[in-house]
Amino acid sequence: MWKEPSAGIALAAPDGQPLRLPQPAVVASVEPGSIGAELGFEPGDRLLSINGRRPRDLIDLQFLVGEEDLVLEVEDSGGALHTVELEKDLDEGLGLAFTEALFDGLRQCNNACPFCFIDQQPPGRRRSLYLKDDDYRLSFLYGSYLTLTNLTAADWQRIEEQRLSPLFVSVHATDPELRSRLLVNPRAGQLLEQLRWFDARDLQIHAQVVVCPGLNDGAALERTLTDLAGFGGGPWPAVLSAAVVPVGLTRFRPDGDALRPVDRACARRVVAQVEALQERFRADLGSRFAWLSDEWYLVAGLPLPPRGQYEDLPQQENGVGSIRAFLEELDRATTSLPERLDPPRRRSWVVGRLVAEALEPVVERLNAVEGLELVLHGLPSPYWGQEHVVTGLLTGSDLLHGLRGQDLGEALLLPAVMLRQGEPVFLDDMTLEQLQSALPVPVALLGSAADLVTLCVGTPDRDP
């Protein structure tokens, strides 16, 4: 008999004793025309319970509001309590967005990886930069990576009951001793048992391997990818894909960590090794399965693979094929470029130095339009101490340092990936407003290749 998954926390224990409840879900916005709007929800309202249960997070909330008959307990921004009863279609939402995804607090990391980027930052920045997220719910909701080392028996039960799949797992190594050493956590050695747990329940993961030269490359990397591929076959594979990314090291990392940066020789070895494994996996699994992030090819000085070799881009959010996807999007956005612009215009586009060479064909294509001059600035990051850096790690101070004295034309085109999602602030806490006030030209944000084309050759009303 099918057992409905449980969701939320009852407002009182069966014996009548009070429970420690999650915080209420605070409404951030209300979709116009939605059930929530019709009920009179406003930003700041606090959702206390749904059918007598307090949601722990957005996952619980989605389960609870999926019912046809709901009883909502709400506290408005003035502190007044309301009980709302309604009937709706099954699985129809309320049209509410909330200020947080987790109402019972963030599960933080219990590992001590020496290559952790969080520990390679300077002190004194905003608090959120130092939170070591290792929460399986955020992995399910947003694709963030976790290690599985901090899960309780109740967490495993919830993953199974609510079918929280796929999750995104930082593997780094499958050898138990090596993974425990890399994560500085004895629980890290249980990974293969955990993968068998996923496999037995038809639950799935995407895997990630951060390669640290001299530690988990070479034979260790081959073992890791081969072990993961062992869970990648059949009609319902437990491991859907594996991304291989290079370790990122900054000038703020602790002394004596024994870590080495990836250089050109190392990058070429890893590319050759993984590409050979891809051919083997394609023969065995029907997919290349293991994917190299774009940085490997850029550091190695090798051309990026053609778009077809990335299949359906299963690890694009991890930097695998993101440049190829951008170039493909650009092809669609430039099918009908004008022959000339009148009056002429000059734009500057800033990216990380590591990716600049790969984007030169974009600049050449747009500059073929008579009257347009697009200048690409590939910048290093003095802030992180990296000469070759990806675009998303450039900080406000890097931009001011690298663009000082440059002729930026009439506008600076800035990839939005440099800014915190939902907030115009860089990784060094400089705000977009502060950057703008220090530059002699207006700044326009780019979210896509289509934005780039529009801001270069679009109609005057889209000019920055």
Side-chain angles (χ1 to χ4, degrees):
M1 181 178 178
W2 173 255
K3 180 182 178 182
E4 291 291 336
S6 60
I9 304 295
L11 297 182
D15 58 5
Q17 295 297 313
L19 292 173
R20 182 179 179 182
L21 295 172
Q23 292 297 309
V26 180
V27 175
S29 62
V30 184
E31 183 182 343
S34 66
I35 292 176
E38 294 175 2
L39 293 173
F41 273 95
E42 296 179 346
D45 290 344
R46 290 152 50 95
L47 183 57
L48 304 178
S49 70
I50 304 168
N51 292 344
R53 301 187 72 84
R54 176 73 61 83
R56 293 163 289 187
D57 43 52
L58 288 181
I59 301 170
D60 270 354
L61 193 142
Q62 291 166 2
F63 273 96
L64 292 170
V65 303
E67 300 294 328
E68 291 180 303
D69 299 308
L70 299 181
V71 178
L72 310 179
E73 287 187 292
V74 184
E75 180 183 10
D76 65 29
S77 57
L81 297 176
H82 307 268
T83 299
V84 181
E85 298 184 23
L86 70 141
E87 182 179 342
K88 62 175 186 59
D89 292 337
L90 193 67
D91 291 331
E92 183 180 8
L94 299 179
L96 303 177
F98 297 89
T99 58
E100 303 287 343
L102 309 177
F103 314 138
D104 62 352
L106 178 72
R107 303 288 187 88
Q108 294 204 46
C109 183
N110 62 354
N111 306 308
C113 309
F115 49 87
C116 177
F117 191 81
I118 303 294
D119 292 336
Q120 296 186 63
Q121 299 183 91
R125 302 305 182 188
R126 63 182 183 272
R127 179 175 176 272
S128 61
L129 290 174
Y130 305 103
L131 291 176
K132 290 189 178 183
D133 157 33
D134 199 16
D135 199 302
Y136 70 97
R137 297 160 306 168
L138 295 183
S139 183
F140 174 71
L141 288 168
Y142 304 121
S144 58
Y145 278 87
L146 77 159
T147 63
L148 304 175
T149 60
N150 63 359
L151 299 184
T152 66
D155 296 330
W156 286 107
Q157 181 179 351
R158 185 182 178 194
I159 291 169
E160 181 178 6
E161 286 185 352
Q162 293 187 337
R163 310 298 297 171
L164 303 185
S165 173
L167 297 180
F168 294 76
V169 178
S170 286
V171 170
H172 308 321
T174 53
D175 174 76
E177 189 278 330
L178 177 57
R179 189 169 193 257
S180 295
R181 182 154 47 91
L182 287 169
L183 275 60
V184 195
N185 188 335
R187 296 188 68 183
Q190 301 171 6
L191 178 76
L192 289 174
E193 299 169 32
Q194 292 164 341
L195 292 181
R196 286 189 283 269
W197 184 93
F198 280 94
D199 191 35
R201 290 157 179 81
D202 288 337
L203 296 170
Q204 298 176 306
I205 73 161
H206 289 281
Q208 170 186 259
V209 179
V210 175
V211 172
C212 302
L215 295 178
N216 63 337
D217 56 348
L221 177 60
E222 179 149 356
R223 172 176 173 175
T224 296
L225 295 180
T226 301
D227 284 347
L228 291 173
F231 293 93
W236 201 259
V239 182
L240 294 167
S241 67
V244 181
V245 300
V247 65
L249 303 178
T250 81
R251 64 186 177 94
F252 302 109
R253 75 182 192 269
D255 293 332
D257 59 13
L259 296 176
R260 305 201 313 261
V262 170
D263 58 19
R264 175 161 292 196
C266 172
R268 292 197 168 199
R269 286 195 303 271
V270 171
V271 168
Q273 179 182 20
V274 175
E275 286 188 340
L277 287 170
Q278 284 180 328
E279 291 306 307
R280 196 172 87 200
F281 297 151
R282 188 168 62 156
D284 294 341
L285 306 174
S287 167
R288 288 176 175 81
F289 179 76
W291 310 92
L292 290 153
S293 65
D294 296 347
E295 295 111 298
W296 291 108
Y297 293 96
L298 301 175
V299 173
L302 298 172
L304 293 166
R307 170 63 184 84
Q309 290 190 17
Y310 290 102
E311 297 175 19
D312 60 351
L313 292 166
Q315 292 267 6
Q316 184 179 347
E317 297 303 314
N318 213 0
V320 177
S322 55
I323 295 178
R324 273 289 172 226
F326 180 86
L327 296 174
E328 188 177 55
E329 184 185 351
L330 187 84
D331 288 339
R332 294 191 294 268
T334 55
T335 54
S336 57
L337 291 175
E339 293 185 3
R340 61 190 303 270
L341 296 177
D342 190 18
R345 62 183 67 168
R346 190 169 190 268
R347 301 278 188 264
S348 286
W349 177 24
V350 61
V351 298
R353 178 168 287 177
L354 184 63
V355 304
E357 183 177 350
L359 295 175
E360 283 292 349
V362 176
V363 178
E364 294 175 5
R365 183 180 307 181
L366 290 170
N367 282 339
V369 177
E370 183 181 349
L372 172 65
E373 184 180 4
L374 176 63
V375 179
L376 182 65
H377 299 272
L379 301 185
S381 176
Y383 180 85
W384 298 114
Q386 294 181 347
E387 185 69 17
H388 297 280
V389 66
V390 295
T391 303
L393 289 182
L394 286 177
T395 67
S397 61
D398 291 331
L399 297 177
L400 292 181
H401 180 271
L403 298 175
R404 185 180 298 122
Q406 299 285 344
D407 180 3
L408 302 179
E410 298 128 14
L412 176 67
L413 309 184
L414 188 75
V417 70
M418 297 181 195
L419 301 170
R420 184 181 184 187
Q421 188 172 6
E423 187 178 352
V425 61
F426 295 91
L427 283 171
D428 60 355
D429 279 348
M430 182 181 293
T431 66
L432 182 60
E433 182 180 4
Q434 289 171 326
L435 175 73
Q436 177 64 86
S437 67
L439 292 176
V441 298
V443 174
L445 293 180
L446 303 176
S448 65
D451 289 345
L452 175 67
V453 175
T454 299
L455 288 165
C456 285
V457 303
T459 53
D461 63 345
R462 283 298 313 273
D463 285 353

